[in-house]
Amino acid sequence: MTAIDSGRRSDRLDHARRLAESGDLDGAAAIFAELAADEDAPDRGEAGEGLSVVVERMAERLLEDGEPERAADVLLEALSVSAVADPARLRVLLGMAHLEMACAQFAGAVEDSRQEGADAGTGALAIELLARTLPLRGRDADAETVWRYGLDHPDPALAEQVLLRLGRDVRPPMEAGAAG
């Protein structure tokens, strides 16, 4: 590699930073990913750090905008680059995106359980899973609403199953010394 090649790489890294600062996170991520994937790049580590920061911002924004599928896609693509910095943080964000997608599926199942002849067990399970997942995303009030919906459901069999599910402790038993 010549000094000119090295200068071009630094120019590209600087260009990616400017794109990120101006709000073009997609453009910045593309450049950072390309540079971070190049095992011979002298600035591979910096590019991996840039990629991590930009993708984290993108994913958080997409989650806030209610686009968990897109957030998951962006995160998976970044995690496929071995030089990406802070993969643990990106994996947590990926898990959050999957929780949002799970909540949407559970809510859809709750809606489906309103149909005539719907299986009460499936409806109760969907209500429980949705109500237990929502607090993981900081949505305690929504979880309470879901439980209330299930307990007040017009199908007495479903309401009874929801009551049983609400009362059960889903935490694994822990030994006294394990918590300390």
Side-chain angles (χ1 to χ4, degrees), residues 130-172:
L130 179 58
R132 291 195 189 279
T133 304
L134 286 167
L136 296 173
R137 293 296 293 128
R139 298 169 57 189
D140 294 347
D142 291 339
E144 188 174 323
T145 300
V146 171
W147 282 120
R148 179 60 37 213
Y149 167 81
L151 294 170
D152 295 340
H153 200 278
D155 178 348
L158 188 143
E160 182 180 337
Q161 287 189 32
V162 169
L163 179 60
L164 292 172
R165 289 174 178 282
L166 176 63
R168 71 186 180 121
D169 187 357
V170 295
R171 295 174 295 175

Side-chain angles (χ1 to χ4, degrees), residues 38-120:
D38 182 354
E39 294 184 18
D40 296 326
D43 46 13
R44 183 176 188 218
E46 288 179 68
E49 289 174 22
L51 177 61
S52 184
V53 169
V54 167
V55 167
E56 182 176 342
R57 285 171 53 192
M58 290 172 70
E60 287 173 347
R61 197 172 290 165
L62 289 166
L63 286 171
E64 288 172 13
D65 292 344
E67 297 186 59
E69 295 88 358
R70 286 194 54 217
D73 290 344
V74 165
L75 289 159
L76 285 169
E77 191 172 329
L79 286 165
S80 73
V81 177
S82 63
V84 70
D86 204 3
R89 174 69 182 151
L90 299 183
R91 289 186 192 288
V92 168
L93 285 168
L94 178 60
M96 291 167 59
H98 283 285
L99 281 174
E100 285 296 326
M101 290 186 284
C103 285
Q105 293 303 315
F106 298 147
V110 169
E111 288 297 317
D112 292 345
S113 72
R114 292 181 178 196
Q115 297 175 3
E116 182 92 18
D119 178 55

